[in-house]
Amino acid sequence: MNRPAAPARAAALPALSNRILLMSGGVLAAAAIALAAPSAFAQSQPGGGAPLTIQALTERPALNLSAYGEVKTAPDMATISFGVVTEASTAAEAMSQNAARMNQVMAALRRAGIADRDVQTSGLNLSAQYDYVQNEPPRLRGYQANNRVTVVINDLNAVGSTADAVVAAGVNQIDGIGFGLKDPSAAENQARQIAVRNLQAKAALYAQALGVDLGGIRSLTEGGGYAPQPPRPMYARAEMAMDAGSTPVAAGELTVRIDITGVYDLNR
């Protein structure tokens, strides 16, 4: 009675074999797809989680280089910082004396051709002055008023005569002088061109040394640029400017520098 069932089991074997072949074919097809597109493929997570994406990226080699360009140019303006310092027994008297002398200084600047827009108060201070004796408490001597002004001079030939004029009018401290450019754009553009040429030459040199071809540039970043000089000490006092003739002032040259950074592709 059990023998007729044997053909049924034998008949089921080809169907199972076909399923195994179909599954194997599916695995091979999935492997072929993964090999054909290695940049990205998804793999299901156990338990029904989100698919895990695997990426294989091949980045092109690149050069990251820096260079700069410099231009020497003559300044066409100057900035002078000076002040009027007065002392008196009372605060009110110190301020009053300072104001009177500063009004004379402002009048001298106008006579020298300095426009009001080029004159700016840069500091105003009133402080108590003490005498210190050992083993004794400080003793109030009086008060000091200090009014400081920064002046822009657009004619470099008038720098020395302007300094002399304000000293004659009451200025008793000159802090410093700085030189600058009214419009630095031309010098900056020239420095940019030099910087780019230097960067290109450096990139070509590296590519030649590496034995590869230089590709296009990916990015270019700029830094630096023109910055006005801060006033430098002039070491001038009232008695120094009272000599015959104007105080000599040498403008010299300014350096305008542009820094750049570039990233280049390298072709293998």
Side-chain angles (χ1 to χ4, degrees):
M1 295 296 293
N2 293 332
R3 288 181 180 178
R9 288 195 302 269
L13 290 175
L16 178 61
S17 176
N18 289 338
R19 284 199 300 271
I20 294 174
L21 290 175
L22 288 174
M23 291 176 63
S24 300
V27 172
L28 291 174
I33 293 174
L35 291 173
S39 60
F41 61 91
Q43 178 179 345
S44 298
Q45 298 262 20
L52 173 64
T53 301
I54 303 174
Q55 293 185 343
L57 301 177
T58 303
E59 187 175 353
R60 297 179 63 183
L63 280 176
N64 192 332
L65 301 174
S66 298
Y68 68 90
E70 280 188 351
V71 172
K72 302 286 187 180
T73 185
D76 56 8
M77 59 168 288
T79 303
I80 297 181
S81 178
F82 54 79
V84 172
V85 180
T86 55
E87 290 189 7
S89 58
T90 65
E93 182 62 22
M95 289 296 292
S96 177
Q97 292 180 13
N98 193 286
R101 292 175 63 174
M102 185 55 72
N103 286 333
Q104 295 175 359
V105 171
M106 294 298 184
L109 288 172
R110 286 190 290 270
R111 288 193 299 269
I114 306 299
D116 291 342
R117 66 176 178 273
D118 293 328
V119 181
Q120 184 179 54
T121 299
S122 54
L124 181 61
N125 180 263
L126 176 67
S127 59
Q129 303 297 300
Y130 293 92
D131 289 328
Y132 295 92
V133 180
Q134 189 174 7
N135 299 325
E136 294 184 11
R139 183 169 53 198
L140 179 65
R141 182 177 74 247
Y143 294 85
Q144 182 184 88
N146 191 338
N147 194 341
R148 317 203 78 73
V149 175
T150 300
V151 176
V152 175
I153 303 176
N154 293 300
D155 181 6
L156 292 184
N157 294 324
V159 174
S161 59
T162 301
D164 294 341
V166 296
V167 168
V171 166
N172 51 10
Q173 284 191 353
I174 297 181
D175 301 325
I177 182 171
F179 296 94
L181 297 172
K182 299 173 188 175
D183 184 5
S185 57
E188 286 182 326
N189 289 338
Q190 187 178 354
R192 288 186 180 101
Q193 293 176 347
I194 296 173
V196 170
R197 288 198 296 267
N198 291 340
L199 185 68
Q200 289 278 81
K202 184 183 289 188
L205 178 64
Y206 272 97
Q208 181 183 10
L210 292 170
V212 297
D213 294 329
L214 184 65
I217 188 166
R218 294 184 189 177
S219 64
L220 184 67
T221 305
E222 177 183 307
Y226 168 75
Q229 283 188 345
R232 293 173 294 181
M234 196 171 175
Y235 301 112
R237 292 286 183 251
E239 62 272 17
M240 296 176 60
M242 297 308 294
D243 297 334
S246 299
T247 300
V249 175
E253 284 187 329
L254 298 177
T255 300
V256 178
R257 172 169 170 154
I258 297 291
D259 295 278
I260 61 174
T261 300
V263 179
Y264 288 85
D265 284 323
L266 292 178
N267 299 325
R268 294 176 176 174

